[in-house]
Amino acid sequence: RQRYVEKDGKCNVQHGNVRETYRYLTDIFTTLVDLKWRFSLLVFILAYAVTWLFFGLIWWFIAYCRGDLEHLEDHAWTPCVNNLNGFVSAFLFSIETETTIGYGHRVITDKCPEGIVLLLLQAILGSMVNAFMVGCMFVKISQPNKRAETLVFSSHAVVSLRDDRLCLMFRVGDLRDSHIVEASIRAKLIKSKQTQEGEFIPLDQTDLSVGFETGDDRLFLVSPLVISHEIDERSPFWDVSRHQLEKEDFEIVVILEGMVEAT
């Protein structure tokens, strides 16, 4: 039976017929973070390679327009960039400028005002590219998907008596020594519903109380805990018998939120 949310937390919902795709570009940072790793690495490489090539072409064009390439052996001639003798050397100088390597063989002179302006532009743009791409990769690396692998839920939920009250219960535990700070848990019942007006809602979401009124939904998750939903008059399972429960088509999604202490 197909699930709405898999056991590992992945949603089976796929967006189709999205017309306003330009909205993804307006939030380019989140779009890059959501990309698969192979595409993120491709964008990461292209972002640097394209800027290096672009500015390398401009450095070569400045040298070509000033006539530096025609006076390579003329020691009396002051070029815009010393030891720049073609596009390959211009490309290498572009890399050295943007990455601030500074090997010392190629260096800009003070007789080239357009080169000084280009140097400032490349330094500023290079810093922006570094901040954007490094920030994007850091966010992608620190995503909580892998941290969730060490959060363990019980394989089955049970309905049983606790303190003479009928409760739906399941267990959750953390395998790591680093704690999850301000951990909170909530549960959603996903089930088809038909309103009194005859409207059919295929994936209606209903809250299952797991202690919001008493504060029991805020967890101190240092040892495995049993989460309990009391089946009372406010519960959607109040009018459901045991046999109906076995035949009903529904899904319960449990969401555990918190901050990782280490990061």
Side-chain angles (χ1 to χ4, degrees), residues 45-168:
I45 294 172
L46 287 178
Y48 286 102
V50 169
T51 53
W52 293 340
L53 286 170
F54 175 72
F55 282 102
L57 181 63
I58 298 179
W59 284 115
W60 174 84
F61 182 73
I62 291 177
Y64 175 80
C65 293
R66 294 181 80 256
D68 295 344
L69 302 179
E70 300 174 1
H71 298 81
L72 297 178
E73 303 298 331
D74 187 357
H75 298 286
W77 179 267
T78 303
C80 182
V81 179
N82 289 329
N83 300 307
L84 193 151
N85 51 24
F87 176 74
V88 176
S89 59
F91 175 68
L92 292 175
F93 179 72
S94 174
I95 296 177
E96 296 170 19
T97 300
E98 190 165 327
T99 57
T100 64
I101 293 177
Y103 289 119
H105 183 64
R106 299 178 186 87
V107 60
I108 190 172
T109 63
D110 57 356
K111 302 298 183 182
C112 183
E114 61 270 25
I116 296 175
V117 174
L118 181 60
L119 178 67
L120 295 174
L121 289 176
Q122 187 171 5
I124 295 172
L125 183 61
S127 299
M128 294 174 62
V129 172
N130 286 332
F132 187 85
M133 297 310 302
V134 172
C136 177
M137 297 303 291
F138 174 78
V139 172
K140 191 170 184 64
I141 291 173
S142 61
Q143 281 186 312
N145 298 341
K146 297 302 180 183
R147 179 63 177 90
E149 295 294 333
T150 53
L151 286 173
V152 182
F153 288 86
S154 54
S155 300
H156 301 89
V158 298
V159 177
S160 177
L161 288 175
R162 168 175 277 195
D163 293 332
D164 203 27
R165 296 177 181 177
L166 199 61
C167 297
L168 170 69

Side-chain angles (χ1 to χ4, degrees), residues 7-10 33-34 37 136-153 174 176 179-181 255-261 263:
K7 284 287 188 178
D8 58 359
K10 294 181 181 178
V33 172
D34 290 340
W37 265 109
C136 177
M137 297 303 291
F138 174 78
V139 172
K140 191 170 184 64
I141 291 173
S142 61
Q143 281 186 312
N145 298 341
K146 297 302 180 183
R147 179 63 177 90
E149 295 294 333
T150 53
L151 286 173
V152 182
F153 288 86
D174 188 7
R176 287 191 179 274
H179 299 159
I180 296 182
V181 184
I255 304 168
L256 177 64
E257 299 174 314
M259 294 183 292
V260 179
E261 182 184 42
T263 57

Side-chain angles (χ1 to χ4, degrees), residues 148-262:
E149 295 294 333
T150 53
L151 286 173
V152 182
F153 288 86
S154 54
S155 300
H156 301 89
V158 298
V159 177
S160 177
L161 288 175
R162 168 175 277 195
D163 293 332
D164 203 27
R165 296 177 181 177
L166 199 61
C167 297
L168 170 69
M169 294 178 288
F170 56 91
R171 206 176 191 194
V172 60
D174 188 7
L175 301 181
R176 287 191 179 274
D177 293 332
S178 59
H179 299 159
I180 296 182
V181 184
E182 296 185 8
S184 62
I185 196 166
R186 52 195 174 100
K188 291 281 187 178
L189 173 67
I190 300 178
K191 180 182 177 182
S192 300
K193 175 184 176 182
Q194 188 166 8
T195 64
Q196 296 179 0
E197 293 79 16
E199 179 186 2
F200 179 74
I201 304 176
L203 295 173
D204 182 64
Q205 298 185 10
T206 306
D207 275 321
L208 294 180
S209 177
V210 288
F212 178 77
E213 297 85 357
T214 59
D216 291 338
D217 62 326
R218 295 188 291 273
L219 309 179
F220 183 49
L221 198 60
V222 295
S223 62
L225 298 175
V226 176
I227 310 301
S228 175
H229 164 68
E230 183 180 344
I231 302 178
D232 54 11
E233 294 84 352
R234 297 172 296 177
S235 173
F237 299 118
W238 177 250
D239 296 327
V240 181
S241 66
R242 175 180 177 179
H243 298 290
Q244 287 178 320
L245 196 64
E246 296 174 351
K247 298 179 181 179
E248 285 283 348
D249 186 15
F250 66 91
E251 187 171 338
I252 297 175
V253 178
V254 179
I255 304 168
L256 177 64
E257 299 174 314
M259 294 183 292
V260 179
E261 182 184 42

